[in-house]
Amino acid sequence: SNWTKIPPPLFKKVVIVLIDALRDDFVFGSKGKQFMPYTTQVVERGTSYSFIAEAKPPTVTMPRIKALMTGSIPGFIDVIVNLNSPALLDDNLIWQAKTAGKRIIFYGDDTWVKLFPKHFVEYDGTTSFFVSDFTEVDDNVTRHLDRVLKREDWDLLILHYLGLDHIGHMTGPNSPLVGPKLREMDNVLKKIHISLLSKEEASLPNLLVVCGDHGMSETGSHGGSSEGEVRTPLLFISSAFEKRSGPLTQPKLVQQTDLASTLAVGLGLPISRNSVGNLILPVVGGKTMREQLRFVHLNGFQLSRLLQENTPAYEKDPGYEHFKIAEKSHGNWIKLYLEGNNSEILLNLGKKVLKQYLEALKTLSSSLSKQVAQYDVYSMMVGTVIIMEVLLLLLLSFPKALSSRAEFEVPLSPPLFSLLFYLMCLMLCAVHVIVCTSAESLCYFCSMSWLTAVGVMMLISALMCGILSAIAKIFENSRLPLKNPVVSSSRWSEVNVLILAGTIGHVLSLGASSFIEEEHQTWYFLINTLCLALCQELCRNNFLLKEYDPQHGTTVKQNFDSIGEASECKNIDIPAAGNAKLGKATSSAEFIQGSDKWISLASPWIILICCRLLRSLNQTGVQWAHRPDFGHWLTSSEHKSELSFLAAVSLLMIFFLVQRRCSLVSKIAMALGLLGVYSYRAAIGNVIFPWQHDTKDISKGITEARFVYVFVLGIVFTGTKDLLKSQVISADSSVKSTGLWEVYSGLVLLAALLFRPHNLPVLVFCLLIQTMMTKYIWRPLKFDAAQITIMHYWFGQAFFYFQGNSNGIATVDVSAGFVGLESYVEIPAIFLTAFATYAGPLLWAIHLLCYLSSEVNRDSAAVGHGCFCYALMRSIPVAIYIVLVTGLRYHLFIWSVFSPKLLYEGVHVFITAAICLFFTAMDQNHSHKV
C-alpha cells in the first residue's frame, strides 16, 4: 500500500570508520588476530557480519570514496583528479542524508571536505598527501572522539584514518610500524563500539561500519588491480544482528559499490540514482519477510530504471526480464499475505521470491557495471588525427633531419595560400557542425568555443597540406639525379637491423594486455640482444677487419689512437689525468691497443652481468611481482646492517663515477651531498651508522634532506652558469661540456636522495654502464649520433623498469615527493615524484646530450640528430598506442591495464618534450654554422 514511500530507518546512529589502505588480511589474517584482538573477537563471536569488499581499479582514495558513497564506478580520469578533488555533483548518500535532515560530522582525510562541501555540520580535515606523517594525521581524528561520542546532536559520524596508508607508502605492508598502527585502530573501534552499545535505546539500534577504501600491494603502494590492492574488509557491527555461533566461515565477497545501497536502506534514504550496487541482504536479514522483499524490490526498481536510461533495448536485458518475473511473484505473495495466510508455504514462497530478486539484482548490476564507460569518440578521433599527422611529418622529415645540415622544416607557408587548405577547412567545419548538432551526449570538443574549434580545424588542414607537400618534394627529388646523397648508402649492420626490428616489435607488442603488463621483459630482452650485437661488432672490428678488409675504413688501432689523442686534447671520460701522462710517456697507441682492446671486448659481457644483477633487485610487472626479490630481502628489518653497507658502498661508487669531470667546487659539493643522503636515510630509520645501535630516534629527516637540496641546487647552478657562459660569451665547447656534466651530476645527486636505499645500486650500474659504453664501445666503433641516441633510449627504458616501476599505478613511489617537505606543497611534490619515477630515462637522455656535446671530432650536427631521433623514438610508440587504445576501448582490461599505460606514456611525452627543448637550447650548430 505504501510502496511509493521510503521505508523507515533501521538504525538510529551510524558510525563509518574508514581505515585507508586496510587490506583484508590485516583483519581476517594472522595480523588481525595478533594486533586487532577486539575486532577479531567481534568478527568471530560478536553481533556482526563480515565481508570482503572488492574495489574496482584505479585503487586510489578519491574514486573509492565516490564508489562507497554513490554506488557508481568512477572513471579512470579520477586518478589525476585525485590530486585536487572537485565537489561531487552526482546523487550520493551524503547529499541524501543532508536533504533528509540528518546531521553529519566528519573527521579525517580532507578529500571528503572537497567532495562534499557544506554537507557536514562539523568537520576537521587532514591532508592525505603528506605521506611521511604516520601519527599526527590519526591523532587529529581521534582527539575529537571522546567529545563527539558523548553528544546526541548527530546521526552520521564518518572517520577517515590515513596513518596505515602512509606507513604502507613509506615502509611497506610488512613494516614493524604496521602492527602498532593496527592496535591503535583496534582501540579506536573498541571505544566507539562500547560507546554505541551504552547509548542504545529500545526503539532503534546503532550501527558501526568498518571498511577500507583500497588495500595495498606487496610494496605498500596502491592504484593497480592486484588482489592485495582490491580486497578490503567490510564489517557491520550492531546489536540488531544475531550473535555469531558455530564454526567460523570465510567472509563472503561483495562489491564495494554495495555499501551505498545498503546504508541508504539502513538510514531510510532513497538509493542513489546512479548506484550499481546490490543490497547486502544479511544486514536486513532480521526484518520480516515482507520488509525484506520491500527492500530488494526498491533496489531492483532503482537498478532497472538506471538500465532504462542507459540502454535503448533494456527490455531484452536478462536482468530486467528476471526483475519483472520476480516482481510478478512478489505481487502474488502480497495477495496471499493480505488474505491472512501465515502458513509455512507463505514463508517458503517468500524465500523463493527473495532468491529471484537477488538473482535479478546480480544480473542487473553486472550488466550496468559493464556499460559504465561512455566514450566521447568524436573528440578522441580529432586528437588521434592530429597526433598521426605530426608523426607522419616527423617520418617524412627523417632524411633531411639526419643530413649534414640537420634541418627540420615543416612547410606550412605554401599550404596556407593553397586552395586545398581552404577547402579542407570548410569541409572539416561542416563535419563539426553536423556532429555537434546531432550529438545526443555531451562532447568535449563541441563544448569548446567556435574560435578554438576553427583553430583546431585549421591546424589539421595545415598539417595535412604540409604532409602532401613533403610527399611531393620527395617524389621530385627522387626523379632528379643524386649529386650528393643525403644519407650514406652504407650497408645495414646487424645493430641497425636490430634497432629497426626492436622498435617495430615493441610497438606491435603494445596491442596485447599481457605484453603491457610485462613490458619490462621486452626491454630486458632488447638490451641483452643489443649487447650481443655490440659484442659481435667489436669482435669483427678487432679480429676480422685487420686480416680481410683493409679498405673497410679505420681499424681499431686507429680508433683507439684517436681516443688517445682526444683524451690528451682535453680530459674526456678518462678517470684520472695520470692516464694522459702515462699515454705520453709510453707509446699511447700500443698501451691502449693492448689492455683496452681486451676490456673493450669484455665490456658487453660486463654490461650483461650488471643487467642480470639489476633484474633480481626488483620484481616488477604483474605475473611475477609477488615473487621474493633481493630488494625485499634488503628492506626487511633484520637486514638493516647489510642495507646500510650496500647504501654506503653505492654512494662511494656514485661519487667516484660522477666526479671525474666536475670542477673542484662541484666535487666537494657532491661529496657533502652524498654524505647528506646517507644521513637523511639514517635519520628516517632506513639505514644505520656503524656507531648506532638503537633506531629509537627516528625523525622526518627534513634538515638532512634540505642540506642535500642546497648542494643539488649549487651544482646545477654552477653547471648552468658555465652553459650560459659558453652560449653567450664564448663558443668554447670545453666550458659547455663541463657545464652539462655538472648539471648531470646535480641530477644524479637528486636521484640518490629520492631513491630508496635498496635502489641505489640501480644508479651505480647506470653510471657504470654509461662510462663503459662511452669509452669502450661507442668511441672505438664510431657509431653515428642516431645509433647512439637509440641505444640511450633503450637503456633509459630498461632502467625505468630496473627501478621497480611497471605500467601499473601502484608502483609509483609517492614518498619521493615528500622528501624534505614539512607539509604538502603541490608543485614540488609532483615534480619530485615525476623525477623519481622517470629518473632512468631522464639520466640517460641528459647523458646523451653530455656525450654528443663533448665529442670534439663529431659532426657539428650530432646534437640536432640526437634530438630528432629521441623525439621520433618517443613519438612512434605513443602515436600507435593511442590508435590501439582507441580501438580497444571496450577491452576487458581497458581500465586496469591499457589506461594506466596511457597515463605513463602521457607523462613521459611531457618529460621528453622538456628534454628536446633542452637539446635545442644546447645545440649551437644552427646559431653558428648554418
Side-chain angles (χ1 to χ4, degrees):
S1 57
N2 62 347
W3 80 278
T4 50
K5 288 184 190 153
I6 301 290
L10 309 178
F11 305 102
K12 185 169 186 266
K13 286 185 189 307
V14 175
V15 179
I16 300 171
V17 180
L18 194 154
I19 302 168
D20 212 291
L22 187 69
R23 228 159 67 161
D24 62 332
D25 60 331
F26 286 175
V27 174
F28 304 129
S30 56
K31 276 195 175 81
K33 286 185 174 65
Q34 189 181 349
F35 300 113
M36 300 186 81
Y38 185 79
T39 310
T40 305
Q41 185 197 333
V42 170
V43 165
E44 289 178 358
R45 292 188 293 281
T47 55
S48 70
Y49 288 108
S50 47
F51 304 94
I52 291 173
E54 194 175 47
K56 291 269 187 287
T59 46
V60 291
T61 298
M62 195 270 280
R64 303 288 34 97
I65 295 173
K66 272 191 181 180
L68 287 164
M69 292 297 111
T70 63
S72 59
I73 299 168
F76 190 83
I77 196 73
D78 285 328
V79 170
I80 301 155
V81 182
N82 187 48
L83 293 167
N84 190 12
S85 322
L88 181 61
L89 302 174
D90 290 1
D91 184 10
N92 60 77
L93 187 78
I94 304 289
W95 182 81
Q96 290 284 6
K98 186 180 180 260
T99 310
K102 296 202 182 289
R103 292 151 302 176
I104 314 164
I105 293 177
F106 170 77
Y107 303 116
D109 183 350
D110 62 0
T111 306
W112 288 78
V113 182
K114 291 176 192 168
L115 284 173
F116 310 108
K118 300 177 184 156
H119 285 66
F120 306 119
V121 292
E122 190 182 306
Y123 65 87
D124 183 13
T126 54
T127 180
S128 55
F129 293 109
F130 188 50
V131 294
S132 53
D133 173 15
F134 308 150
T135 46
E136 287 170 35
V137 78
D138 286 349
D139 294 346
N140 272 338
V141 179
T142 310
R143 70 193 169 103
H144 299 285
L145 268 184
D146 291 329
R147 183 173 51 83
V148 168
L149 291 172
K150 283 174 191 160
R151 285 161 38 188
E152 290 293 327
D153 62 343
W154 57 270
D155 303 293
L156 178 59
L157 171 65
I158 303 169
L159 309 169
H160 187 148
Y161 284 95
L162 286 160
L164 184 66
D165 177 62
H166 291 185
I167 289 170
H169 279 300
M170 293 299 281
T171 57
N174 302 314
S175 158
L177 299 168
V178 168
K181 181 54 72 180
L182 291 176
R183 195 174 281 120
E184 183 192 329
M185 293 297 102
D186 193 50
N187 291 332
V188 167
L189 294 173
K190 183 179 182 179
K191 181 188 280 188
I192 295 168
H193 189 213
I194 290 167
S195 170
L196 288 178
L197 287 175
S198 67
K199 285 226 161 57
E200 271 190 3
E201 297 161 11
S203 57
L204 277 179
N206 297 325
L207 173 68
L208 169 61
V209 180
V210 184
C211 59
D213 54 348
H214 50 74
M216 64 170 82
S217 66
E218 280 309 307
T219 56
S221 200
H222 55 87
S225 52
S226 69
E227 196 171 284
E229 291 164 85
V230 298
R231 289 167 76 113
T232 64
L234 176 60
L235 310 178
F236 294 92
I237 304 165
S238 173
S239 58
F241 308 145
E242 286 177 16
K243 215 168 188 160
R244 298 291 289 266
S245 59
L248 192 70
T249 53
Q250 178 67 20
K252 220 176 105 195
L253 198 69
V254 295
Q255 290 303 310
Q256 199 178 47
T257 46
D258 297 346
L259 182 68
S261 40
T262 307
L263 282 179
V265 167
L267 286 163
L269 304 169
I271 296 171
S272 302
R273 182 194 174 101
N274 296 320
S275 168
V276 296
N278 291 345
L279 176 70
I280 301 171
L281 197 67
V283 177
V284 297
K287 297 286 156 188
T288 63
M289 182 55 74
R290 187 179 184 188
E291 284 175 301
Q292 285 186 51
L293 288 173
R294 173 90 195 286
F295 297 142
V296 286
H297 176 257
L298 275 174
N299 193 187
F301 181 75
Q302 173 262 326
L303 287 173
S304 60
R305 196 176 60 187
L306 185 63
L307 187 79
Q308 285 175 41
E309 287 169 10
N310 289 302
T311 315
Y314 65 90
E315 284 152 338
K316 290 176 185 164
D317 187 90
Y320 187 80
E321 287 171 358
H322 288 168
F323 175 68
K324 285 294 166 197
I325 293 165
E327 211 172 31
K328 213 172 232 175
S329 310
H330 188 184
N332 295 336
W333 186 88
I334 291 282
K335 271 182 197 164
L336 286 170
Y337 177 81
L338 294 174
E339 283 164 13
N341 187 339
N342 286 327
S343 66
E344 190 76 21
I345 300 162
L346 190 72
L347 186 69
N348 288 338
L349 186 65
K351 282 179 183 170
K352 192 182 167 189
V353 177
L354 201 60
K355 200 176 174 188
Q356 282 180 327
Y357 265 135
L358 291 175
E359 282 294 313
L361 291 184
K362 204 173 174 185
T363 319
L364 276 168
S365 185
S366 81
S367 61
L368 279 165
S369 301
K370 280 173 193 160
Q371 51 170 262
V372 158
Q374 288 180 330
Y375 294 103
D376 180 0
V377 180
Y378 178 51
S379 304
M380 287 162 76
M381 288 298 175
V382 172
T384 308
V385 166
I386 295 172
I387 286 163
M388 290 312 288
E389 284 184 332
V390 173
L391 178 66
L392 256 172
L393 264 179
L394 278 171
L395 289 169
L396 290 170
S397 311
F398 190 74
K400 211 165 184 189
L402 293 188
S403 68
S404 56
R405 290 169 70 86
E407 289 176 331
F408 175 52
E409 284 181 4
V410 180
L412 283 183
S413 51
L416 292 178
F417 304 107
S418 68
L419 182 64
L420 180 67
F421 169 74
Y422 295 106
L423 282 173
M424 277 194 75
C425 277
L426 277 171
M427 191 180 77
L428 290 171
C429 288
V431 170
H432 185 67
V433 171
I434 293 164
V435 171
C436 292
T437 48
S438 60
E440 288 172 16
S441 58
L442 190 72
C443 168
Y444 174 72
F445 189 38
C446 293
S447 64
M448 283 179 168
S449 69
W450 270 100
L451 207 64
T452 316
V454 171
V456 172
M457 299 303 171
M458 286 174 76
L459 174 68
I460 293 173
S461 309
L463 286 169
M464 196 66 221
C465 293
I467 289 166
L468 293 172
S469 66
I471 293 170
K473 261 187 187 172
I474 290 170
F475 273 111
E476 272 174 41
N477 293 344
S478 65
R479 284 179 190 163
L480 295 170
L482 282 173
K483 288 175 190 170
N484 48 345
V486 176
V487 181
S488 62
S489 56
S490 60
R491 69 182 185 81
W492 275 60
S493 67
E494 283 84 351
V495 173
N496 287 347
V497 173
L498 172 65
I499 283 170
L500 185 69
T503 305
I504 293 169
H506 169 249
V507 167
L508 292 175
S509 74
L510 296 175
S513 60
S514 302
F515 273 100
I516 291 173
E517 286 177 341
E518 309 299 326
E519 195 186 346
H520 59 287
Q521 304 282 12
T522 307
W523 288 113
Y524 296 168
F525 171 76
L526 287 177
I527 59 165
N528 289 352
T529 315
L530 178 65
C531 285
L532 293 175
L534 292 173
C535 183
Q536 186 204 11
E537 204 79 10
L538 283 164
C539 289
R540 181 192 290 144
N541 245 21
N542 275 297
F543 303 119
L544 298 178
L545 294 186
K546 287 178 191 171
E547 296 167 34
Y548 303 114
D549 194 2
Q551 264 80 45
H552 191 87
T554 55
T555 63
V556 167
K557 181 178 185 306
Q558 288 168 300
N559 287 350
F560 276 122
D561 280 348
S562 66
I563 294 170
E565 286 159 27
S567 59
E568 280 169 33
C569 300
K570 76 177 204 283
N571 188 17
I572 299 167
D573 262 339
I574 304 283
N579 275 13
K581 289 174 191 166
L582 195 75
K584 286 172 188 168
T586 63
S587 161
S588 70
E590 284 173 31
F591 171 74
I592 292 177
Q593 200 183 355
S595 63
D596 283 17
K597 172 179 158 181
W598 295 110
I599 299 174
S600 178
L601 286 168
S603 54
W605 299 100
I606 297 168
I607 292 166
L608 277 173
I609 291 164
C610 292
C611 292
R612 184 64 197 88
L613 290 170
L614 285 172
R615 282 182 75 160
S616 51
L617 185 66
N618 291 306
Q619 282 284 5
T620 184
V622 173
Q623 303 295 331
W624 297 279
H626 61 278
R627 293 255 183 99
D629 52 39
F630 190 49
H632 273 101
W633 184 84
L634 282 169
T635 47
S636 61
S637 50
E638 57 266 28
H639 300 128
K640 196 173 267 191
S641 49
E642 288 93 332
L643 178 64
S644 304
F645 176 73
L646 183 73
V649 171
S650 299
L651 292 169
L652 276 170
M653 291 278 289
I654 289 167
F655 177 71
F656 174 72
L657 289 163
V658 161
Q659 54 80 36
R660 298 170 290 128
R661 289 164 56 184
C662 294
S663 62
L664 183 65
V665 177
S666 296
K667 281 180 185 178
I668 295 165
M670 192 76 192
L672 290 169
L674 290 169
L675 197 65
V677 170
Y678 194 87
S679 307
Y680 166 71
R681 288 294 166 189
I684 64 168
N686 290 151
V687 296
I688 48 172
F689 283 112
W691 57 85
Q692 206 178 351
H693 296 294
D694 60 330
T695 52
K696 291 276 188 289
D697 51 342
I698 290 175
S699 72
K700 289 181 190 171
I702 287 166
T703 315
E704 291 87 346
R706 288 180 179 175
F707 175 76
V708 180
Y709 284 139
V710 169
F711 290 116
V712 170
L713 292 171
I715 296 169
V716 172
F717 176 75
T718 314
T720 312
K721 187 188 76 187
D722 285 346
L723 288 175
L724 290 171
K725 197 168 151 191
S726 74
Q727 297 284 85
V728 180
I729 300 164
S730 66
D732 182 6
S733 58
S734 65
V735 175
K736 180 180 168 185
S737 154
T738 311
L740 278 170
W741 189 265
E742 286 186 334
V743 170
Y744 176 69
S745 54
L747 294 177
V748 168
L749 178 57
L750 180 60
L753 174 66
L754 300 180
F755 275 21
R756 303 254 174 140
H758 76 275
N759 254 351
L760 286 172
V762 176
L763 207 49
V764 175
F765 283 131
C766 172
L767 296 167
L768 188 66
I769 292 171
Q770 285 171 356
T771 308
M772 290 190 72
M773 292 194 86
T774 300
K775 193 176 172 193
Y776 299 113
I777 296 176
W778 293 325
R779 286 205 180 118
L781 292 177
K782 283 198 158 55
F783 282 121
D784 61 32
Q787 290 169 316
I788 288 170
T789 302
I790 293 166
M791 287 182 211
H792 270 87
Y793 176 76
W794 280 19
F795 271 96
Q797 290 297 99
F799 270 86
F800 175 78
Y801 295 104
F802 283 142
Q803 284 173 240
N805 289 319
S806 71
N807 286 325
I809 291 159
T811 49
V812 176
D813 182 10
V814 183
S815 64
F818 302 92
V819 173
L821 297 183
E822 256 176 312
S823 60
Y824 175 63
V825 192
E826 195 166 328
I827 304 297
I830 292 170
F831 169 76
L832 292 172
T833 307
F835 179 82
T837 307
Y838 291 94
L842 250 169
L843 290 176
W844 277 90
I846 304 295
H847 182 270
L848 170 67
L849 185 55
C850 293
Y851 175 75
L852 292 178
S853 301
S854 68
E855 290 287 88
V856 276
N857 52 357
R858 254 188 200 285
D859 174 15
S860 60
V863 175
H865 291 171
C867 179
F868 180 79
C869 286
Y870 200 83
L872 189 65
M873 284 303 290
R874 195 81 278 280
S875 306
I876 294 170
V878 172
I880 304 296
Y881 186 66
I882 283 170
V883 174
L884 288 170
V885 166
T886 309
L888 294 168
R889 62 187 182 277
Y890 295 110
H891 193 283
L892 183 63
F893 299 129
I894 187 69
W895 300 119
S896 56
V897 178
F898 291 102
S899 297
K901 169 71 176 164
L902 190 64
L903 189 60
Y904 271 110
E905 291 293 322
V907 177
H908 201 164
V909 166
F910 271 106
I911 289 168
T912 307
I915 291 167
C916 289
L917 279 174
F918 189 46
F919 264 80
T920 312
M922 291 301 105
D923 186 10
Q924 286 184 322
N925 170 34
H926 288 275
S927 53
H928 293 287
K929 297 269 160 63
V930 176

